[in-house]
Each structure stands twice: as structure tokens, then as C-alpha cells.
Amino acid sequence: MSDNQSWNSSGSEEDIEPREEPGHHVGVVDLSGVLSKWTNYIHGWQDRWVVLKNNTLSYYKSQDETEYGCRGSLCLSKAVITPHEFDECRLDISVNDSVWYLRAQDPEHRQQWIESIELHRSIREGRREKGVQGTIIIPPPLADSGYGSESSLRRHGSMLSLTSATSGYSATSTSSFKGHSLREKLAEMETFRDILCRQVDTLQKYFDGCADAESKDELQRDKIVEDDEDDFPSTRTDGEFLHGNGSKEKLFQSLTPKGINGIDFKGEAITFKATTAGILATLSHCIDLMVKREDSWQRRLEKEMDKRRRIEDSCKSALNDLKKKSHFGGPDYEEGPNSLINEDEFFDAVEAALDRQDKIEEQCQTEKTRIQRCSPVPPGDVYSSSGAHRFSDKVEEMVQNHMTYSLQDMGGDANWQLVVEEGEMKVYRREVEENGIVLDPLKATHSVRGVTGHEVCHYFWDTTYRNDWETTIENFNVVEALSDNAAIIYQTHKRVWPASQRDVLYLSAMRKILANNENDPDTWLVCNFSVDHDDAQPSSRCVRAKINIAMICQTLVSPPEGDKEISRDNILCKITYVANVNPGGWAPASVLRAVAKREYPKFLKRFTSYVQEKTAGKPILF
């Protein structure tokens, strides 16, 4: 590294990298905008103001509320961004067990968000890696031994450096290996090290003596040259210098066997060789011991790895179960063509939701019945015709069809299946499917004492009483009153998760059909069938269902005893209820049939009981 480049303790290159504001990265553009966020199965997708900044994704209810603080945020360092497989506008962002389901307005905006998020993440990861790579780590043995710089080597000498380095090594080694034989060999290594250090010290002294002798010879030779500048010495083959006056002096005398300062150089060299050979032999023995132990260590490692794999599999399985439970209300598990929920889970969830609704309704049903509602009853002749409005012909057609086909006996038709029989009530079904959608016609017959057909149809048709007996409706309103006996009604039904919420727009008309024979009873009828209206267009919030329903009632009167007046004990209402419903959507056929089998009988019993309670003690309405 050049002198003009310096590294700080964190490893950043201050002279090269431009300074940045904290948390901000050069080249990273913050992003904000409106994305749809899945809230829950009740409210579904809601528009939220989403902000991407400083590797954090935050959302607000709207752009105007950003100053009040975010409603939630995710750190993107460990986030997993998953573009949806089928929905081109959707992306899922998960951190551990927290998942945000987001939808952009189009695929291009989704890609822009994904690229911006990935850019923030990559910049963050790059800075972290750069910080790790820029940190200089000095091993403790070298730092303690004086190997950190060239000047320290000169100052302390080779003896001190070697001693410090080897002592650091041996301390680490003896604490790492616990085998008895290996420990003995390491102790031998300690001994050899001490001997080798002393020999190095001796040889150092010898080399220092040689250096001093050479220095003295150079001084002596310079002195002789100054005294006899004109006499140049000649050199003999035996290494002696001959001077002009015939005297000779050996500048380099042969070393004695003891060498300089009494050192036996040959003996020291032999001992040095033996010591290094012993170290090599001991190292070889240590390697053999470690190789022998490698098999047992390998077996232990494989056991630990197998144990770790089992633990990781268990952990993944537990996480998947946790995510499935925690995200079961997510958009992937609601009704739809690509729903991840199977039919059994779908039915269990629907049944559990219906049970909860029934418990709630049981608690408040008594209070609803006690409420006194007043709704004037129009004279009977009002219901004798379809009235004058734009749908009158359609109403008349529906009424005639129901009178012709709905009242036919089903005994000889093998296509009708008896699915429920409880006392006087029987429920029949004919299985019909079209493009995978269940369109099963359903017909129920029932006999109720103490009420008339007029009373039953009145409470079924009049919206004043609708919320008293109908437990599945969330809200409804009369879109248009066509006449005194016909109206267009829009109603939304309570959502039963994971099924999508349904709404229906239908025309409801009430009619009185006079009998052709005076011995036959008159017939009261309410027919509800789907229509279109500009003030109630289909929306993405609900699945629009199509219906064709009729409540057909006939009153049978038994003669009272003697001169007594007719009482409610003398009247019996025969009810025929027919329903043709196209639920739309993608609910499983088995679930729809199971729900219909469960709910239709409950509806009939609940409604007829309500009519009996409301009419008890009141004058009979024929």
C-alpha cells in the first residue's frame, strides 16, 4: 500500500472512498409510492404508501400520514423477495415468520420495486464485506514476539524472535490435543526447541566473533598500507602477504579447533544437525498420531453432521408449520384458482366459521324476536298482478314457471336425491355442474302449523324483518322500488373465510295466485331472481352470485268443532322452497354441497319458527 493511502481501524479506505452521509449510499435511489397491501381476510387488499429508504421498507396508511409515523417496517438485510408465480403484479417479502403481500399497479412497477430493493440489499452487503476484508489482523504469537516490523527484528535479534514465536506455538498446541502420546511428543518438541535456541545463541556468538575479527583485520591492513605506501605486497599461494622489507604477517590465521572465543564450531554443527533431525522425527510421529486419530474424528464429525441435518430438517418442518398457521389468512389461502388450501382444509375452515356465526346468532336471536316492528300489510288485491313496471313481464314468466314446475311431485324423478329428512321437512337435490361450478337445484318441502301462506310470504318478502331471521346477510338496501309488491334489492353476505365474499342483486316480487277450483287453496308466492342495475355494478371486492329462488305457500284449513271460530290450531301452511344458485368463484364442489346440505334445513327451521313467534296471539292473515 502506498504512503498516501491509509486504513482506519474499521477497514475503510478514507483517501479513496468518498464520505457518505450515515445510512445513505452513493448510487442508491430511494423509492416511494402506492402499493396494495394484503391486510386480512376481512378487508383484503388496501392501498398503502410504501417507502424504501436506508435498506428499510416502511408503509403508511397514506402519503398524507407519513408525518405521524409508519404503521410497519421491514429490515431488508435478511428479507426474501418472491415475485408471485401467477400474479404478475404481486411480490411477497418475508423476514422470518413475517410476510408482506404487496401488489403493484402493473408488472413494470413491480419490477421497479424488486430491482430497487435488491439494489439496496446488494449495496448493504457490499459495504459489510468491504469492512471485513479491510480489517488487518495480526496473529498474537507474531505480535508478541516482535515480528511486527523489520526494525524490531534488528533490535531484538533472531534468538528472541524465535523463542517468542515458538513459545506461542507450543502453548496453543498443548491445549488443543488431549491425547497422552501426543502430549509426550509435544513435550519432546519443547525440549528440542530449548536446545535449538541455545545452539542458535552459540552460533550467533560465533558469527559475531567472526565479524569482529574481520573488522580488526581490516583496520590492521589499512594501517600497514599507510606506513608503506610505496611498497606493494605480493601474494603467495599459501595466503601470506610479503612486504618489501621481507617481513610477513598473516592477516587471516587458520582457526583452531576451538574456533573464536573457545567455540567448537564442528561439534556445535553436529549437535545442531542432530537437534533438527530429532525435531523432524518428533513432528513425523505427531503427524502419524494425528492420522490415526483422524478416523475416529471423522466418524464423530459424520455423526455430528447427521445430527445437525436431522435438527435442521425438524427446524424447517416446524417453521413451515408455523408459517402455514401464521399466514393461513394470507391471500394464497383464500378461494381462488391457485389457492394453496385443499378441499378438506377449505371445508374445515368454512364449517368452523359457520359454527362461530351460529353461536353469535343464538345469543342475539331472542332479542331480535322481542323487537316489535310495525309494517303495514297492503290489501290482498295488490298481489294479484305483477304490476306495471319494466320487469313485469319477466316477473310473470318466473311466477308461471314456478307454478308449473316447482310444485311437481318428485317421487317419480330419479334425478332428485333426498339428502335431509327431519320430521315434516324434506330436502331434495339434483347434482348439476357447469364448467366446474356447482349449480345444483334444491327443493325443500315443509309443513308449519299455526301460520298462513300469506303470513309466511309477508315476512319472507318484507325487508323490514329481513335482519331478524336472515343470519348470513352483512348488509342490504333497496336499490329501486318497482311497485307495491316488487323491488330490486342489493345485499352482501357475511364472508365465510376462506371463501370469497358474495353479493347478489335481485328482483323480489310477491304474488297471490287464485285457485281455479274453489275447493283448492290459494297460493302465495315470493320469487327472487337476479337482474342487472346501473346503481349496483359488480365490484372486485365481492363475487357476484346469481339466484332464482321461490317460496311457495298454500294454506290448509281444517273445520273447527261446532260453532267455534277458526283458530291457529286449525290452519296448516304447506311450504315448497326451491333454489337455483350459481355461486360463482372457485369454491370446491364438495364444500358447496356440504354447506348447502347443512344450511338450507337450518334456514327453513329458523325462518318458520320466527314466523310462528311473530304471529302468535295476532289475528290470522289469510
Side-chain angles (χ1 to χ4, degrees), residues 137-149:
I137 301 176
I138 301 177
L142 295 180
D144 295 341
S145 65
Y147 274 76
S149 63

Side-chain angles (χ1 to χ4, degrees), residues 199 203 257 263-274:
Q199 291 174 338
L203 291 174
I263 298 175
D264 186 359
F265 179 73
K266 185 175 181 181
E268 290 293 339
I270 294 173
T271 307
F272 184 83
K273 182 177 180 181

Side-chain angles (χ1 to χ4, degrees), residues 221 224-234 241-247:
R221 184 176 57 188
I224 295 173
V225 170
E226 291 176 358
D227 292 341
D228 302 317
E229 292 181 357
D230 297 333
D231 299 328
F232 295 95
S234 60
F241 291 90
L242 299 180
H243 298 272
N245 57 5
S247 64

Side-chain angles (χ1 to χ4, degrees), residues 6-18:
S6 61
W7 291 79
N8 60 16
S9 59
S10 64
S12 62
E13 204 170 355
E14 293 182 344
D15 292 340
I16 297 177
E17 182 180 357

Side-chain angles (χ1 to χ4, degrees), residues 37 207 374 440 469 527:
K37 183 179 183 296
F207 294 138
C374 182
D440 295 353
W469 56 266
C527 62

Side-chain angles (χ1 to χ4, degrees), residues 441-609:
L442 182 140
K443 181 183 291 188
T445 60
H446 194 24
S447 297
V448 183
R449 289 195 173 274
V451 296
T452 66
H454 188 178
E455 290 171 335
V456 172
C457 288
H458 171 68
Y459 284 102
F460 184 74
W461 179 79
D462 197 334
T463 56
T464 305
Y465 309 99
R466 182 68 53 86
N467 281 330
D468 290 350
W469 56 266
E470 178 61 271
T471 62
T472 65
I473 291 179
E474 183 175 86
N475 55 64
F476 72 93
N477 63 285
V478 177
V479 178
E480 182 181 355
L482 299 174
S483 65
D484 290 339
N485 66 338
I488 296 177
I489 300 171
Y490 171 77
Q491 66 188 31
T492 57
H493 291 263
K494 296 175 182 177
R495 183 177 183 186
V496 182
W497 189 86
S500 300
Q501 188 172 22
R502 259 70 178 180
D503 65 356
V504 60
L505 178 68
Y506 62 95
L507 187 151
S508 181
M510 181 173 170
R511 288 287 308 278
K512 177 184 178 181
I513 309 299
L514 299 176
N516 295 326
N517 189 333
E518 61 180 8
N519 295 324
D520 294 334
D522 294 336
T523 301
W524 288 87
L525 178 146
V526 176
C527 62
N528 299 334
F529 57 92
S530 293
V531 293
D532 296 325
H533 199 282
D534 294 338
D535 294 339
Q537 296 292 336
S539 66
S540 59
R541 180 172 172 266
C542 298
V543 175
R544 179 62 58 89
K546 302 292 185 180
I547 64 170
N548 184 6
I549 296 173
M551 176 78 75
I552 307 171
C553 303
Q554 292 177 329
T555 305
L556 303 180
V557 181
S558 60
E561 296 180 357
D563 296 333
K564 293 181 179 180
E565 294 183 356
I566 296 176
S567 68
R568 291 193 176 275
D569 295 334
N570 303 116
I571 59 178
L572 175 71
C573 181
K574 295 185 65 176
I575 300 174
T576 300
Y577 180 80
V578 292
N580 293 270
V581 180
N582 181 350
W586 300 271
S590 60
V591 176
L592 290 174
R593 290 190 172 110
V595 170
K597 182 179 178 180
R598 163 187 162 141
E599 292 300 311
Y600 277 114
K602 288 171 58 178
F603 151 71
L604 271 180
K605 288 191 292 184
R606 182 174 62 249
F607 172 68
T608 54
S609 297

Side-chain angles (χ1 to χ4, degrees), residues 18 76 88 132 141 161 178 199 228 252 314 506 605-606 608:
L76 300 175
E88 295 182 349
V132 172
S161 300
K178 302 301 181 182
Q199 291 174 338
D228 302 317
F252 299 98
S314 300
Y506 62 95
K605 288 191 292 184
R606 182 174 62 249
T608 54

Side-chain angles (χ1 to χ4, degrees), residues 300-481:
R300 289 178 60 185
L301 177 62
E302 290 175 354
K303 289 181 180 179
E304 291 297 326
M305 292 179 65
D306 185 59
K307 182 179 179 181
R308 178 172 179 173
R309 279 194 295 268
R310 290 198 300 270
I311 293 175
E312 287 179 345
D313 292 341
S314 300
C315 182
K316 289 180 180 179
S317 178
L319 284 175
N320 289 334
D321 292 342
L322 179 62
K323 288 181 178 180
K324 186 175 181 180
K325 292 178 181 178
S326 60
H327 304 149
F328 207 62
D332 290 324
Y333 292 93
E334 65 175 348
E335 176 188 350
N338 304 305
S339 176
L340 300 181
I341 189 171
N342 58 45
E343 289 193 14
D344 292 337
E345 293 172 334
F346 197 105
F347 176 73
D348 291 342
V350 168
E351 189 175 41
L354 291 174
D355 289 340
R356 287 194 298 269
Q357 288 186 8
D358 290 344
K359 289 181 180 179
I360 296 173
E361 288 298 327
E362 287 176 4
Q363 296 173 358
C364 59
Q365 188 62 39
T366 304
E367 297 179 1
K368 288 183 177 180
T369 306
R370 290 175 181 171
I371 298 175
Q372 298 297 324
R373 304 184 188 276
C374 182
S375 178
V377 180
D381 56 357
V382 170
Y383 304 105
S384 300
S385 65
S386 299
H389 51 81
R390 64 183 184 280
F391 289 103
S392 56
D393 293 340
K394 184 67 175 178
V395 171
E396 190 65 30
E397 179 185 349
M398 288 291 182
V399 169
Q400 294 304 321
N401 286 338
H402 285 303
M403 292 299 297
T404 302
Y405 301 107
S406 299
L407 293 178
Q408 290 180 352
D409 187 12
M410 293 159 293
D413 194 342
N415 292 324
W416 288 95
Q417 303 173 11
L418 179 64
V419 292
V420 176
E421 183 174 9
E422 296 181 9
E424 295 290 334
M425 181 174 59
K426 296 180 180 180
V427 180
Y428 300 86
R429 181 180 67 202
R430 183 160 52 89
E431 294 189 356
V432 176
E433 287 190 27
E434 184 177 325
N435 297 324
I437 299 178
V438 175
L439 304 176
D440 295 353
L442 182 140
K443 181 183 291 188
T445 60
H446 194 24
S447 297
V448 183
R449 289 195 173 274
V451 296
T452 66
H454 188 178
E455 290 171 335
V456 172
C457 288
H458 171 68
Y459 284 102
F460 184 74
W461 179 79
D462 197 334
T463 56
T464 305
Y465 309 99
R466 182 68 53 86
N467 281 330
D468 290 350
W469 56 266
E470 178 61 271
T471 62
T472 65
I473 291 179
E474 183 175 86
N475 55 64
F476 72 93
N477 63 285
V478 177
V479 178
E480 182 181 355

